[in-house]
Amino acid sequence: MNKIKIMDPCPCGTGINYENCCQPYLLGSEKPDTAEKLLRSRYTAYVVGNTDYIFETHHPETVSTLDKQGVIEWSRDSKWLNLEIIKVDDSLKSSGETLIEFAAQYSQEGVVHRHREVSLFKKEKDTWFFYDMKKNPPLVKENKIGRNDPCPCGSGKKYKKCCG
């Protein structure tokens, strides 16, 4: 499991340090009180390799659809670069559901990928769960990151000297 220093900014992109952001959720001492916080903590779980958290926060009705070995390998074999929340649709919140469109950028073997989806989250009693991916939004052609471009992780270094 990858280690994050407590005072480091949380990988989920809030700008809050890890200790006060996603770490309490990953340790099980707190529960995310919104679907967005659950999504952010699940992303952080991929970053640190806490795949048990991914399985625990997947809705009991759909957890059997997970490729558990695939999840473990994706977490382990990827360098997670950033999470972008594109849209949060709380219009169904009164029925305990939220839709979130997001994109996660990661690299594998030096190739940068962007995983984008719209996901459904459901709240059961006082606990939010990832339910399923509702759809893949249309792909938008994006600029590739060049070796001499600034690294998307925000380090300020060139991509080739950082995550590339």
Side-chain angles (χ1 to χ4, degrees):
M1 195 157 44
N2 298 330
K3 300 287 183 188
I4 296 175
K5 296 181 189 109
I6 291 175
M7 295 307 292
D8 283 348
C10 192
C12 77
T14 59
I16 300 169
N17 69 32
Y18 174 62
E19 179 182 42
N20 295 319
C21 193
C22 290
Q23 185 184 41
Y25 307 138
L26 297 175
L27 293 176
S29 59
E30 292 181 25
K31 292 181 186 177
D33 60 357
T34 67
E36 182 178 345
K37 287 179 182 177
L38 176 61
L39 171 65
R40 288 181 181 280
S41 65
R42 285 172 58 90
Y43 172 82
T44 299
Y46 276 103
V47 173
V48 302
N50 185 347
T51 53
D52 288 343
Y53 184 78
I54 300 298
F55 307 129
E56 292 162 7
T57 58
H58 207 286
H59 196 280
E61 289 177 10
T62 58
V63 71
S64 64
T65 65
L66 275 179
D67 171 7
K68 291 187 178 186
Q69 190 59 39
V71 168
I72 291 166
E73 289 172 5
W74 194 25
S75 174
R76 180 193 65 215
D77 297 341
S78 300
K79 179 170 184 172
W80 298 90
L81 303 174
N82 67 5
L83 173 67
E84 174 189 1
I85 306 295
I86 298 166
K87 182 180 178 184
V88 177
D89 179 357
D90 279 332
S91 63
L92 303 171
K93 195 172 183 179
S94 62
S95 64
E97 296 182 351
T98 296
L99 285 170
I100 303 178
E101 182 177 353
F102 70 94
Q105 195 170 25
Y106 63 98
S107 68
Q108 287 182 330
E109 298 179 3
V111 178
V112 175
H113 302 274
R114 189 167 194 245
H115 173 84
R116 185 172 170 183
E117 71 179 62
V118 176
S119 295
L120 175 65
F121 293 82
K122 289 189 174 188
K123 190 173 187 179
E124 305 278 331
K125 298 182 182 171
D126 65 343
T127 304
W128 280 99
F129 293 96
F130 170 85
Y131 190 78
D132 68 3
M133 180 179 72
K134 297 309 290 176
K135 63 180 177 175
N136 280 316
L139 290 177
V140 177
K141 187 170 180 153
E142 298 179 19
N143 295 334
K144 283 183 89 176
I145 299 169
R147 292 175 31 87
N148 291 315
D149 291 338
C151 191
C153 76
S155 68
K157 298 178 183 176
K158 288 183 179 183
Y159 178 67
K160 68 182 177 186
K161 296 285 186 180
C162 190
C163 296

